[in-house]
């Protein structure tokens, strides 16, 4: 690595770092959960997302970008290059709902022992700010890049990515793009996605009045609350997971069952504990309490929640390129005489959506249930030998000294899969390195290491410089 260039990059980061932190705090302050039900002209995902986009564009404008937007679906900052072809980044300023379990205000960044805590510091408002400051290095140093640099700011990544679909209907693909929305070193392959909802048969004289889990299908619920039409005194103490379950009296004849699990992201279930599954286990301990149709659906729920590999459901699969299938049953509800349970699977190329649908349809029918709202996406990859991929991984190796770092596949679904030539590139780090009081993305007390963010900014600056040297 050029020591003079490295020194200039380090000096720039020192100069702007306080501003980086302030700008992250500004974006996190918006509870920007995309909600098409609150759409308005210029704000297709609601006013909070629009407000976050406005602040993100203001940051870009402050840094010297020429800003623009696509009717509120997506925004961007441009730095004109010698050529029209674009090198781009894309990060998102929408977030998943805060959910329960936070030890402080989710939308006020807290600083503790070198960590930032707040919804979006990791996914993906912190990285969005890094991408803007990475490109701004060109302006700071008076460099005209070979390729035009565009920093895209998405607004609907967590819900449906309709923002980028809308964008690509009206704008050309960049020559190469990376999204700072994954772990380092670099993800060049993403599993396919399969989503569906299990619906119970009609329930007569049901005793389950309400049931909550995750607020988004791609979140593993850290808390679940189920209210049943039974006096609390009639419910036995839990036999299993007693330290994670509590029985509370709501009023005479109505009890509340509260479960505390370990939340996380559907794509990375390792180390998590689904709170809905804890309640499923407890309800199945009861005898003669629930309606027959409820007990029948609970048998199905027990299979859905039995593991995170889909083994009990009969859909487990794995291949060398993408690894194993993962499954998450996050959103549960009681409505109109039915219980519904969402399913979010991340799938290797060794199993098709048609195979999963057939297996789950047959499984559901055995318990008088159905599956609806099926959504699918095929696996996605960019060849490891692509010169842009090699450029990014080599920059990562140079900065970190990790000469064995290699691209990997993952279950997370990022913006990258929507573009012609794109990868995801940090800045997240394994949660095993985090203190116990730091939560994962999509979980309570979501955190990001300030040291890791600083290192990521350096990597992104050097990566953008290196991409200018490649024929795209």
């Amino acid at each position: 690595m050029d020591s003079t260039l490295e020194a200039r990059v380090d000096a720039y980061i020192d100069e702007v770092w306080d501003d980086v932190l302030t700008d992250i705090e500004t974006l996190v302050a918006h509870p920007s959960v995309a909600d098409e039900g609150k759409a308005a002209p210029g704000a297709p995902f609601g006013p909070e997302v629009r407000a976050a986009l406005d602040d993100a564009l203001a940051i870009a404008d402050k840094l010297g970008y020429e800003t623009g937007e696509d009717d509120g679906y997506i925004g961007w900052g441009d730095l004109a290059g010698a050529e029209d072809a674009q090198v781009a980044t894309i990060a998102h300023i929408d977030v998943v709902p805060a959910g329960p379990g936070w030890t402080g205000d989710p939308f006020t960044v807290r600083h503790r022992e070198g960590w930032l805590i707040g919804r979006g510091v990791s996914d993906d408002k912190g990285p969005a700010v890094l991408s803007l400051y990475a490109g701004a290095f060109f302006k700071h140093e008076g460099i005209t890049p070979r390729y035009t640099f565009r920093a895209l700011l998405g607004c609907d990544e967590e819900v449906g990515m309709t923002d980028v679909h809308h964008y690509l209907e009206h704008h050309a693909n960049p020559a190469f793009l990376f999204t700072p929305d994954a772990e380092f070193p670099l993800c060049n392959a993403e599993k396919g996605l399969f989503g569906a909802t299990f619906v119970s048969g009609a329930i007569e004289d049901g005793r389950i009045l309400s049931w909550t889990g995750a607020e988004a299908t791609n979140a593993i619920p850290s808390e679940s609350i189920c209210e049943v039409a039974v006096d609390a005194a009639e419910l036995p103490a839990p036999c299993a997971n007693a330290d994670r379950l509590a029985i509370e009296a709501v009023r005479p004849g109505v009890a509340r069952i509260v479960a505390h699990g370990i939340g996380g992201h559907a794509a990375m279930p390792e180390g998590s504990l689904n709170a809905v599954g804890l309640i499923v286990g407890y309800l199945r301990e009861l005898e003669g309490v629930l309606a027959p149709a409820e007990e029948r659906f609970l048998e199905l729920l027990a299979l859905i929640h039995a593991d995170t590999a889909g083994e009990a459901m009969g859909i487990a699969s794995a291949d060398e390129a993408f690894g194993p299938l993962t499954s998450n049953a996050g959103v549960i509800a009681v409505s109109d005489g039915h219980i519904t349970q969402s399913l979010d699977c991340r799938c290797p190329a060794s199993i098709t959506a048609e195979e999963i649908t057939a297996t789950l349809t047959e499984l559901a029918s055995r318990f008088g249930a159905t599956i609806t709202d099926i959504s699918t996406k095929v696996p996605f990859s960019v060849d490891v030998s692509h010169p842009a991929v090699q450029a990014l991984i080599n920059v990562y190796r140079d900065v970190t000294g990790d000469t064995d770092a290699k691209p990997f596949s993952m279950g997370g679904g990022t913006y990258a899969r929507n573009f012609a030539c794109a990868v995801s590139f940090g800045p997240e780090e394994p949660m095993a390195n985090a203190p116990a009081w730091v939560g994962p993305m999509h979980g309570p007390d979501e955190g990001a290491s300030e040291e890791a963010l600083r290192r990521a900014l350096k990597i992104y600056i050097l990566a953008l410089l290196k991409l200018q040297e490649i024929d795209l």
Side-chain angles (χ1 to χ4, degrees):
M1 186 186 305
D2 182 332
S3 59
T4 301
L5 175 60
E6 183 178 13
R8 287 163 58 197
V9 172
D10 288 340
Y12 168 74
I13 294 172
D14 287 340
E15 179 182 335
V16 302
W17 191 248
D18 286 346
D19 292 335
V20 170
L21 296 179
T22 298
D23 289 339
I24 293 173
E25 292 169 0
T26 296
L27 294 188
V28 170
H30 297 284
S32 50
V33 178
D35 185 350
E36 292 183 344
K38 298 179 180 178
F45 309 112
E48 290 293 350
V49 175
R50 176 71 240 193
L53 178 60
D54 286 339
D55 272 347
L57 290 173
I59 294 168
D61 183 69
K62 173 187 69 175
L63 293 173
Y65 288 87
E66 181 179 345
T67 59
E69 62 170 278
D70 186 22
D71 299 325
Y73 280 85
I74 203 165
W76 60 81
D78 282 346
L79 297 176
E83 300 180 19
D84 291 335
Q86 289 181 356
V87 166
T89 60
I90 183 169
H92 61 93
I93 49 83
D94 66 306
V95 294
V96 297
W102 288 77
T103 58
D105 179 6
F107 302 108
T108 299
V109 174
R110 287 172 285 147
H111 297 264
R112 178 179 175 185
E113 298 174 28
W115 290 80
L116 279 62
I117 308 295
R119 175 58 85 224
V121 293
S122 174
D123 184 27
D124 194 33
K125 292 176 175 178
V129 171
L130 296 185
S131 66
L132 291 171
Y133 276 87
F137 181 78
F138 291 114
K139 294 286 289 187
H140 185 273
E141 297 295 305
I143 299 171
T144 298
R146 173 182 176 183
Y147 302 113
T148 293
F149 174 63
R150 172 164 286 189
L152 288 158
L153 300 160
C155 297
D156 184 38
E157 195 272 351
E158 297 290 5
V159 178
M161 299 193 191
T162 56
D163 53 350
V164 77
H165 298 160
H166 190 276
Y167 175 81
L168 288 172
E169 289 175 1
H170 304 92
H171 300 84
N173 264 278
F176 180 75
L177 172 147
F178 71 79
T179 177
D181 193 16
E183 288 188 2
F184 279 129
L186 179 147
C187 175
N188 70 307
E190 296 181 7
K191 293 177 182 177
L193 306 180
F194 180 92
T197 300
F198 289 91
V199 183
S200 74
I203 298 173
E204 296 182 4
D205 302 319
R207 309 298 291 277
I208 299 175
L209 303 177
S210 65
W211 199 343
T212 64
E215 296 186 57
T217 59
N218 59 1
I220 299 170
S222 61
E223 180 180 90
S224 181
I225 300 174
C226 180
E227 292 194 355
V228 294
V230 182
D231 196 87
E234 298 179 19
L235 293 177
C239 294
N241 297 297
D243 59 330
R244 293 187 173 275
L245 289 160
I247 311 300
E248 304 171 354
V250 178
R251 57 182 180 274
V254 177
R256 178 183 295 123
I257 306 162
V258 181
H260 295 284
I262 303 172
H265 193 295
M268 295 166 282
E270 298 84 2
S272 66
L273 181 61
N274 192 311
V276 173
L278 295 176
I279 291 183
V280 170
Y282 174 76
L283 291 177
R284 296 191 73 219
E285 295 175 7
L286 306 180
E287 295 183 5
V289 173
L290 303 180
E294 291 172 328
E295 291 184 342
R296 193 177 186 192
F297 193 62
L298 279 171
E299 291 183 53
L300 174 58
L301 288 176
L303 296 175
I304 296 169
H305 286 273
D307 59 80
T308 59
E311 292 182 6
M313 291 186 287
I315 59 173
S317 187
D319 61 28
E320 184 176 351
F322 292 94
L325 178 146
T326 62
S327 70
N328 172 58
V331 178
I332 194 164
V334 179
S335 177
D336 299 325
H338 298 271
I339 303 173
T340 60
Q341 171 69 78
S342 73
L343 185 71
D344 179 322
C345 295
R346 312 302 169 105
C347 316
S350 52
I351 189 168
T352 67
E354 291 76 17
E355 290 171 324
I356 296 173
T357 299
T359 299
L360 296 183
T361 299
E362 190 279 329
L363 175 67
S365 68
R366 285 165 37 198
F367 300 92
T370 57
I371 63 169
T372 62
D373 302 328
I374 294 172
S375 61
T376 65
K377 291 184 179 180
V378 299
F380 158 82
S381 65
V382 174
D383 196 293
V384 173
S385 64
H386 191 287
V389 174
Q390 287 298 305
L392 297 191
I393 197 70
N394 286 332
V395 167
Y396 177 82
R397 290 167 178 164
D398 286 344
V399 172
T400 65
D402 182 2
T403 57
D404 294 326
K406 297 178 181 179
F408 64 91
S409 66
M410 71 170 183
T414 73
Y415 281 130
R417 66 169 58 242
N418 296 282
F419 291 88
C421 188
V423 298
S424 48
F425 189 43
E428 297 154 24
E429 300 208 331
M431 288 305 296
N433 300 331
W437 40 265
V438 173
M441 61 178 186
H442 289 205
D445 289 338
E446 174 185 341
S449 160
E450 186 172 339
E451 178 184 359
L453 292 176
R454 283 183 67 105
R455 182 168 58 248
L457 178 53
K458 181 175 182 175
I459 290 170
Y460 291 152
I461 293 168
L462 293 170
L464 291 178
L465 290 167
K466 184 62 66 174
L467 289 171
Q468 305 301 319
E469 302 173 6
I470 296 170
D471 292 329
L472 296 172

